[in-house]
């Protein structure tokens, strides 16, 4: 995108980024003065009224991803690297990674399509209007699904009726690539007819089949320390007012659901805050079943 200053979409991209995203560049600000394409980008980017925050790295070390870029550069990456957007001038690398649907990446000419997919902050709706999670949730790449829901296992009837449809849909997004699922629920709010150790094994089979990877993992954690319902993936957070089960759940008409894109710094910071709470829970759970594996939490 930065190398495409003569493209008709150049200004559209600059305007989209300026108005909708908080951006952190992985190079120091002084680099702008010494690179022709960066000079062109920021001279256009700075035009117009309004916009969001802009951040530069103060680190003079190596840029990420390392050059030349390899198709597995994101493996064993930090959570920050797994929540970043990559726009690369390498069609082969982009095609390989895009086919796995695990991180957000785009090649030259796809900048607007990739970035537009992160604009989702006006999507609060009554939860009773969501007929299925597959129709509502964005189809954005992911490596991890972290669900905090006190009542996920509270009712055997509602649990079996929904058949883990939320997890099933999201796990189907990465293709032949592992996904880590964490379910945080409230101790004392679990139906006596449900065995969490057994349910962990059943859910893992669902996740492995949906993702196409035998390396996919599932962990169930119980705690007394959580209350709100949230779902966090690499690029967004779902703020939900009730149990994540849609069927046979008796949802009240005032329950709302909203998607918060991590493209906005304040949304990302809230997700990181929640993850810090979930980390405390993961470090000292009441009970914990499964693989204890996550790119965002340590067990």
């Amino acid at each position: 995108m930065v190398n495409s200053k003569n493209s008709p979409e150049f200004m559209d991209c600059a305007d989209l980024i300026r108005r909708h995203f908080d951006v952190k560049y992985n190079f120091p600000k002084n680099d702008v003065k010494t690179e022709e394409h960066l000079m062109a980008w920021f001279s256009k980017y700075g035009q117009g009224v309004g916009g969001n925050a802009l951040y530069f790295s103060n680190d003079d070390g190596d840029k990420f991803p390392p050059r030349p870029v390899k198709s597995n550069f994101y493996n064993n990456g930090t959570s920050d690297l797994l929540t970043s957007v990559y726009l690369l001038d390498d069609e082969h690398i982009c095609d390989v990674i895009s086919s796995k649907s695990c991180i957000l990446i785009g090649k030259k000419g796809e900048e607007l399509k990739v970035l537009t997919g992160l604009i989702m902050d006006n999507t609060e709706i009554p939860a009773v209007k969501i007929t299925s999670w597959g129709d509502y949730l964005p189809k954005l790449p992911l490596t991890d699904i972290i669900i905090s829901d006190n009542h996920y296992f509270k009712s055997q009837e509602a649990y079996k009726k929904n058949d883990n449809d939320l997890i099933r849909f999201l796990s189907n997004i990465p293709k032949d690539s592992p996904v880590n699922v964490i379910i945080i629920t409230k101790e004392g709010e679990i139906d006596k007819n449900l065995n969490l150790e057994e349910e962990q094994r059943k859910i893992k089979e669902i996740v492995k089949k949906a993702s196409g990877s035998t390396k996919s993992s599932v962990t169930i954690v119980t705690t007394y320390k959580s209350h709100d319902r949230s779902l966090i993936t690499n690029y967004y957070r779902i703020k939900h007012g009730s149990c994540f089960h849609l069927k046979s759940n008796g949802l009240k008409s005032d329950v709302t659901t909203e998607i918060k894109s991590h493209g906005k710094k304040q949304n990302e910071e809230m997700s990181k805050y929640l993850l810090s709470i979930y980390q405390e829970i993961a470090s000292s759970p009441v009970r914990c079943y499964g693989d204890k594996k996550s790119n965002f939490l340590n067990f």
Side-chain angles (χ1 to χ4, degrees):
M1 178 170 55
V2 174
N3 293 341
S4 307
K5 60 183 178 181
N6 296 320
S7 167
E9 293 185 343
F10 183 90
M11 278 304 298
D12 291 337
C13 284
D15 185 63
L16 183 78
I17 292 172
R18 183 176 63 245
R19 293 184 181 278
H20 292 284
F21 300 113
D22 297 323
V23 181
K24 180 177 181 179
Y25 291 93
N26 68 345
F27 51 82
K29 191 173 183 178
N30 286 337
D31 282 11
V32 177
K33 301 175 183 178
T34 60
E35 217 287 330
E36 175 189 355
H37 294 296
L38 291 179
M39 284 286 287
W41 170 254
F42 284 102
S43 65
K44 297 292 186 182
Y45 182 92
Q47 294 178 9
V49 179
N52 296 297
L54 179 66
Y55 305 87
F56 286 93
S57 169
N58 292 319
D59 182 12
D60 291 324
D62 295 334
K63 298 180 177 66
F64 186 89
R67 277 57 161 179
V69 177
K70 297 181 180 180
S71 61
N72 64 346
F73 73 84
Y74 56 89
N75 285 346
N76 302 315
T78 66
S79 58
D80 283 342
L81 303 182
L82 292 173
T83 57
S84 297
V85 180
Y86 302 92
L87 301 172
L88 303 179
D89 193 9
D90 188 319
E91 291 194 10
H92 173 69
I93 298 297
C94 289
D95 286 341
V96 170
I97 297 174
S98 294
S99 68
K100 296 181 179 297
S101 299
C102 46
I103 58 171
L104 198 53
I105 193 165
K107 54 193 172 185
K108 192 173 181 178
E110 295 181 340
E111 297 91 348
L112 276 175
K113 181 182 74 173
V114 171
L115 294 173
T116 300
L118 283 172
I119 302 173
M120 57 184 79
D121 271 340
N122 296 315
T123 54
E124 183 176 18
I125 66 171
V128 292
K129 292 188 176 181
I130 303 174
T131 56
S132 75
W133 288 116
D135 293 335
Y136 175 71
L137 295 180
K139 279 69 172 180
L140 288 176
L142 55 89
T143 63
D144 290 71
I145 305 163
I146 300 173
I147 302 171
S148 178
D149 185 341
N150 283 349
H151 296 156
Y152 196 82
F153 299 102
K154 183 176 182 179
S155 165
Q156 183 187 46
E157 178 188 356
Y159 174 72
K160 288 193 171 183
K161 181 83 171 179
N162 283 269
D163 194 26
N164 293 292
D165 54 351
L166 173 61
I167 292 173
R168 192 186 305 271
F169 167 75
L170 289 174
S171 297
N172 191 52
I173 291 176
K175 299 298 182 184
D176 303 318
S177 187
V179 59
N180 302 313
V181 178
I182 308 292
I183 304 173
I184 300 171
T185 194
K186 188 174 182 180
E187 181 69 22
E189 295 287 345
I190 295 144
D191 192 299
K192 63 181 180 180
N193 295 307
L194 291 174
N195 182 310
L196 292 191
E197 193 169 10
E198 182 179 338
E199 294 308 318
Q200 183 274 335
R201 291 193 290 267
K202 291 179 181 178
I203 296 171
K204 185 172 180 178
E205 288 306 310
I206 291 172
V207 172
K208 288 196 298 183
K209 183 177 180 180
S211 66
S213 174
T214 58
K215 295 182 179 179
S216 291
S217 71
V218 173
T219 306
I220 299 176
V221 178
T222 71
T223 183
Y224 292 110
K225 298 179 180 179
S226 65
H227 176 74
D228 220 354
R229 287 89 168 181
S230 294
L231 183 150
I232 298 175
T233 71
N234 301 52
Y235 296 102
Y236 61 87
R237 171 171 47 90
I238 304 295
K239 183 180 179 182
H240 189 53
S242 184
C243 178
F244 276 102
H245 296 320
L246 296 176
K247 306 168 188 174
S248 185
N249 189 32
L251 286 172
K252 305 300 182 184
S253 57
D254 63 341
V255 173
T256 61
T257 302
E258 186 173 8
I259 303 176
K260 295 288 191 178
S261 168
H262 291 159
K264 287 288 184 69
K265 188 170 183 286
Q266 64 189 39
N267 295 342
E268 182 187 31
E269 287 181 342
M270 176 55 72
S271 289
K272 285 184 175 180
Y273 170 73
L274 291 174
L275 287 172
S276 70
I277 296 173
Y278 301 158
Q279 180 58 66
E280 293 178 7
I281 293 170
S283 298
S284 57
V286 176
R287 288 187 284 165
C288 185
Y289 301 104
D291 300 295
K292 301 180 180 180
K293 185 177 178 183
S294 170
N295 289 305
F296 294 86
L297 301 176
N298 296 312
F299 289 88

